[in-house]
């Protein structure tokens, strides 16, 4: 199974299906976020899973502990491979999410989002989070780790910091991946796939560099090939 998670950021299920058909037999994984899930729902997730794809349900749950715990169970019942919650939901919410998944024989990986990469220090200050951005990311990463979460979504530039200061055992999932020649789009802090694997990323989330390519299958296979030297991560 590939360690590349392709972000299915399509406005409607037809376009998304068109794309997933091109990726049949590649063993890639797919990330379904709020837009596609709101439009296409659990049936779409089940459809992909029936075809053998692993799904990362990127709904970033953030609510009272009971609500998040029940949502995590609903996602686990759907059979997703990975799901995520906001670390900013706090200790009780993170523990409730962890506890909610303990009774599954094969639970989804439970991943925390620390600080959204769309926020800078000015934004953090405005919502009452003092200190440098990295300090906030580290504090939330430590909290997620002590609550028993399996990993974190983070910028590839934060991998070394988290592995050194929090734990080597956390699964790190990194968006913000760009090929050397591909446009940055709205991503600011990017790395190439090779750089991210070298830094220790476990899974790369890649959207537009693959989904908008003239030949998405070729781009995917080329990136996959470039992983081989780092495949032991
Ligand atoms: O097209 P691109 O490769 O930029 O897609 C990256 C995906 O990862 C998008 O679905 C985006 O929402 C998601 N993401 C991100 N940065 C984060 C968290 C998630 O780009 N910090």
């Amino acid at each position: 199974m590939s360690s590349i998670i392709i972000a299915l950021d399509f406005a409607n299920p037809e376009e998304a299906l068109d794309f997933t058909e091109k990726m049949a037999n590649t063993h890639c994984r797919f990330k379904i976020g709020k837009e596609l899930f709101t439009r296409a729902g659990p049936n779409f997730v089940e459809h992909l899973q029936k075809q053998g794809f692993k799904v990362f349900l990127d709904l970033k749950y953030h609510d009272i502990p009971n609500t998040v715990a029940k949502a995590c169970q609903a996602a686990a019942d759907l059979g997703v491979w990975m799901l995520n919650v906001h670390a900013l939901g706090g200790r009780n919410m993170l523990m409730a999410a962890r506890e909610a998944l303990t009774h599954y024989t094969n639970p989804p990986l439970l991943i925390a989002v620390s600080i959204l990469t769309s926020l800078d220090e000015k934004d953090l200050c405005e919502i009452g989070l003092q200190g440098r951005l990295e300090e906030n990311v580290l504090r939330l990463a430590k909290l997620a780790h002590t609550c028993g979460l399996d990993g974190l979504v983070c910028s590839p530039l934060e991998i070394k910091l988290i592995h050194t200061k929090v734990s080597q055992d956390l699964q790190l999932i990194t968006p913000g991946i760009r090929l050397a020649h591909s446009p940055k789009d709205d991503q600011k802090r990017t790395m190439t796939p090779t750089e991210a694997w070298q830094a220790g990323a476990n899974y790369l989330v890649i959207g537009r560099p693959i989904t908008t390519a003239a030949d998405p299958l070729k781009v995917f296979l080329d990136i996959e090939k470039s992983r081989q030297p780092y495949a032991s991560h």
Side-chain angles (χ1 to χ4, degrees):
M1 192 59 71
S2 169
S3 62
I4 296 171
I5 307 171
I6 301 180
L8 285 182
D9 293 327
F10 293 97
N12 61 66
E14 292 77 23
E15 270 180 61
L17 278 179
D18 222 38
F19 176 81
T20 60
E21 274 162 23
K22 290 185 194 145
M23 305 308 288
N25 306 319
T26 61
H27 306 296
C28 69
R29 300 164 195 261
F30 288 122
K31 179 174 89 65
I32 297 185
K34 291 189 175 84
E35 183 185 13
L36 188 56
F37 190 76
T38 304
R39 290 199 186 276
N43 288 347
F44 188 81
V45 175
E46 278 169 342
H47 178 78
L48 288 186
Q49 291 179 158
K50 272 190 200 133
Q51 296 184 324
F53 292 113
K54 302 262 186 207
V55 173
F56 169 19
L57 192 62
D58 177 22
L59 297 182
K60 300 187 182 71
Y61 298 133
H62 185 176
D63 210 312
I64 59 170
N66 182 58
T67 304
V68 167
K70 296 281 163 51
C72 288
Q73 280 174 347
D77 291 341
L78 192 54
V80 303
W81 157 71
M82 178 184 277
L83 64 92
N84 59 1
V85 298
H86 270 288
L88 280 167
R91 179 179 296 275
N92 289 342
M93 190 207 82
L94 295 172
M95 305 268 280
R98 178 73 284 165
E99 166 65 22
L101 298 177
T102 50
H103 309 299
Y104 290 84
T105 354
N106 200 7
L109 286 172
L110 180 60
I111 303 300
V113 177
S114 55
I115 299 288
L116 291 172
T117 44
S118 51
L119 301 176
D120 60 18
E121 275 170 23
K122 195 163 151 268
D123 297 311
L124 293 190
C125 188
E126 197 171 33
I127 55 172
L129 293 176
Q130 309 299 330
R132 300 198 28 244
L133 201 133
E134 287 76 16
E135 288 162 10
N136 281 284
V137 169
L138 272 183
R139 195 180 61 250
L140 291 166
K142 282 179 187 159
L143 176 65
H145 182 52
T146 59
C147 292
L149 271 71
D150 299 305
L152 283 170
V153 177
C154 66
S155 149
L157 295 143
E158 290 156 3
I159 296 171
K160 286 225 160 98
L161 189 69
I162 294 170
H163 271 160
T164 329
K165 302 244 164 132
V166 187
S167 167
Q168 290 280 348
D169 300 333
L170 284 167
Q171 300 281 308
L172 298 186
I173 293 98
T174 59
I177 302 296
R178 286 297 176 269
L179 307 179
H181 57 271
S182 58
K184 290 208 164 200
D185 306 307
D186 49 356
Q187 297 284 8
K188 288 186 185 139
R189 301 165 70 224
T190 64
M191 273 193 185
T192 64
T194 305
E195 287 167 338
W197 276 315
Q198 259 168 348
N202 299 93
Y203 295 98
L204 311 189
V205 173
I206 310 179
R208 288 160 291 182
I210 297 178
T211 55
T212 64
D215 187 347
L217 183 59
K218 180 177 183 312
V219 175
F220 169 81
L221 293 173
D222 285 349
I223 301 176
E224 197 49 10
K225 232 184 273 164
S226 71
R227 176 170 190 248
Q228 259 130 50
Y230 315 102
S232 59
H233 285 148

